Amino acid sequence: MPSELSAYVSDPTPGRGALRPARSWLHSDAPSLSLNGAWRFRLSPTASVAQDFAAEEFDDHAWASIPVPSHWVLEGDGAHGRPIYTNIQFPFPIDPPHVPDENPTGDYRRHFALPADWSDAERIVLRFDGVESLFRVWVNGVDIGSAGGSRLAHEFDVTRAVRPGDNVVAVRVHQWSAASYVEDQDQWWLPGIFRDVTLTARPAGGIEDVWLRTGFRDGRGCVEAEITAEASAFPVTLRIPELGVEQVWATAADVTPVDAGEVEPWSADRPRLYDATVSTAAESIALRVGFRTVEIRGDRFLVNGRRVVFHGVNRHEAHPVRGRVFDEEHAREDLARMKRFNVNAIRTSHYPPHPRLLDLADELGFWVVLECDLETHGFEKLGWEGNPSDDPAWREAYLDRIRRTVERDKNHPSIVIWSLGNESGTGSNLAAMSAWVHARDAERPVHYEGDYTGEYTDVYSRMYASVPETERIGTDGTDTPLLNCTPAQSARQRAKPFLLCEYAHAMGNGPGALDQYEALVHEHPRLHGGFVWEWRDHGILATAPDGTAYQAYGGDFGEVVHDGNFVMDGMLLSDDVPTPSLYEYKAVVQPVRFVFDGDKVAVTNLRHSADTSDLRFRWRVEHDGTPVDAGDLEVPVVAAGESGRVSLPPVPVAPEGETWLTIDAVLATAAPWAPQGHVVATVQSDRSPHIPVPAVRHRHVVATVQSDRSPHIPVPAVRHRTDWRPDTGTLTLGAAEFVDGRLVSLAGRAVTGPRLELFRAPTDNDESPSDGVEESDASVPGVSNAELWRRDGLDRLTARRVSMERPHDKADALRTLDKVSAANSALFVMVESVWSLEAGELELRVEIEPSRGWSTVWPRIGIRFDLPDGGAPVDGAEWFGLGPSESYPDSLRAARTGRFSSGIDDLSVAYARPQETGHRSGLRRLTLTSAGAKVFRVEALPDTHGRRPGFTLSRHTPQELARAGHPYELPASTTSRLTIDAAQHGLGSRSCGPDVRPEFALRPEARTIRLRITAG
């Protein structure tokens, strides 16, 4: 027979004892006392430790002290256990609803003094805003009750247990419980009391709950109030001073809708809020209300009658030191950063956030999909057998979770969709949750991605649909069945608004093809955008054995099972540093579109409701990256969804070289989330006179696509020679010195190379196995590209010198031919390198030609030079090309053509797992520097197709990067590495999503690299 304790921990019942019904998180003037701060704490390895600690007289002086809120595994430098990261796996046996006896259990105690003036309170309520996972509460030795639901609020009536003066509250928290089976979200398992603990005095005649439903129609606002209060609390008064609203309801029966008159509506890009109060004689509650109406018409999702496009991110609560403990200053800056990068929506993956975050979302302006604290993903391993989502024994737990989600946050105008949870299969319990939400809130739609056939949800939602599949979803008239749907079910789903609740998996270096998804949104109105997975990495700050700080991921804490660095999948690094993907995202979704037409430009406002009166438009002209003119562009105010055409300024054209016109849309005045002059949108136009090049057709142009083809730049013809003769290869050509045909110095500096480089340190996307769906014919189902590259030996190439020649007169050139291949492979690449003096300049031409038989894509086609440090290392670069950040074939929108400079360390991104980084495309000219001095200069010439190379400058080789699991594991470097790439493979998002699109995949092919090299 199971023990009473085992039955308690394994009981899916959501709560017991004096647990009160869910209600809103309200700003009330009723007395309250924060119990945050230092608590006494003891950790036990099992749940069976005696409960005597709850007694008033228990001596806890020998216990440790721990802050509340916090996670015990992040306190005490490992003294209280370590974090565990899993994505899908359960870190305990799958035996629902049971959990192991080895169940870390934290006991908390603290004293508090009940204020003397609380004696008149009708009730004393103890509130916990977040405890992971199951907890039980005692006050002065009295058993109050228990609750589960880690990211949900729970209130207990402790009136019968408290007394004037000193009191003791004791809390027991079990890391594992039945609730853990439905909290299997992709995140760290972090037990403890991690949100606020508050004691409140509920006054007689107070307001138990308030819901102000605020609608907007035809320029006018309406308030429908739901007041939960005893009859003795009336009269109740609603005031909205700015609108002149003062409505007194004498009784509950008198509470009827209030016409608020003419109002400014609330939207994500114009988050207009009005201060309101709801008061009785005993209590006043302050709210900030926004007037907006949410509705679905056909396959359109509308707010205030206008279609919404979600340019969103999935947001976990994560901090490298605090974990999920809320810090308002940090959260405000986090949301302000989102706004600066043109993010307009948040999916609260996969639980309700701290309630103050939603206040900030109301204030700063975001569309919010508020998600319930629910995920049972680990049951997928069992084919969903035993999944609680379809088990009646779990029905009340599911309903309790959605009730607590909706009731707590129902007053927020930013919340426009309720989400039942994430990756929990499907079943009757989810359908029951949906039915409850529809009955409780008839306005806001219900979302749940796992309802593929649309039985109980209002929007069609998918994860990681490829670009072609997303297009099929949005296309009218197609009979292609949707995933897991019959034709009839497919038709039903296509009749709904569609959103990608997760897409563009931003793990490591990536994702690619963001612009292709964005193009579809503007071509197919049924498609309403989506939410990138995800906003930030979840690294936990740790210290390496040598004392180096680093961001830890799964496996770094000795977990029995874990999912490695899959928790590092954000557009923001753990330490708040934006990755290049975030800049790419900003450029792709920017809310102003520019289309050039001769001497005019069309400016389109893609915002939901805000016009462009808050923006100023600036232009500048650069010749070969050097500014020559600038000014303001007079653009009339453009309403949301409208366009205006304006004349461009006269553009001075460079007689030689390139002329680029750049237009920035910037904030005319400071916003709560950015300073005056912040760039909201930007575009570049090549104004150089040149032979027209047919443009690539793009369905929707958010910003001009940079092209590495510049046929207006004269390309010197290759000087062909036929008089080659064998030679020893020891000579000097301009700035280059050769010994036995091998480069030994450039401009007096030791250099080796060029060596063929086909390998890149695999990105997380490269390392992910193919799923065989809509992928390249070079893919192998179940095998990653990186594995194929290693199979073919691209990371361990060796060369054999086939020939070494000079012209018959031994004048001004050297030609070498190398056969490059790998051990245990008959595949090879022929590399011809010709060094010559052309009009007094040193030129290197490298012809790269693969043999037959290569069956996979290649990561890159490039050549690498190694530059030993010598007296001073090569520590920086100045270049004319695309920048300032890195760019790849399917991630170019954030790049612009110009002159840039950077230190060598800043050219790379410190991803938590080292991988390919730092490639700059479209290179024209590059100067390497050492301690500010110029080392040598490289001019990159286009090939015969007008294609320009890119470059990477790093302190480590791709092979060294690939071998390191963390940055601190990289070896000490005494050499700088310059790689010039004729081409790079795209990024894609295959770590959890589609592979690189075919047009951005790099097939083995012949390529040419031509460089002119001069001393600095």
Side-chain angles (χ1 to χ4, degrees), residues 632-665:
D632 288 341
L633 188 67
E634 296 300 324
V635 177
V637 174
V638 182
E642 301 296 326
S643 298
R645 282 169 58 86
V646 297
S647 297
L648 294 169
V651 176
V653 177
E656 297 180 0
E658 302 178 47
T659 299
W660 288 90
L661 170 66
T662 303
I663 300 174
D664 293 327

Side-chain angles (χ1 to χ4, degrees), residues 151 194-195 315-319 323-324 326 349 351-354:
R151 270 68 68 175
F194 68 94
R195 286 188 186 156
R315 180 190 180 275
H316 268 290
E317 292 185 310
H319 186 274
R324 283 190 286 278
F326 183 75
S349 54
Y351 43 81
H354 190 283

Side-chain angles (χ1 to χ4, degrees), residues 486-532:
T486 66
Q489 292 165 341
S490 298
R492 173 168 63 193
Q493 292 295 65
R494 280 197 174 92
K496 298 176 181 178
F498 175 77
L499 61 86
L500 286 158
C501 66
E502 294 179 20
Y503 82 112
H505 196 255
M507 186 174 179
N509 191 348
L514 284 167
D515 53 348
Q516 295 191 330
Y517 284 102
E518 179 69 12
L520 294 176
V521 166
H522 296 275
E523 186 171 343
H524 302 287
R526 177 180 306 132
L527 307 180
H528 287 72
F531 299 82
V532 171

Side-chain angles (χ1 to χ4, degrees), residues 174 228 335 371 971:
H174 303 287
T228 304
L335 267 59
E371 195 145 270

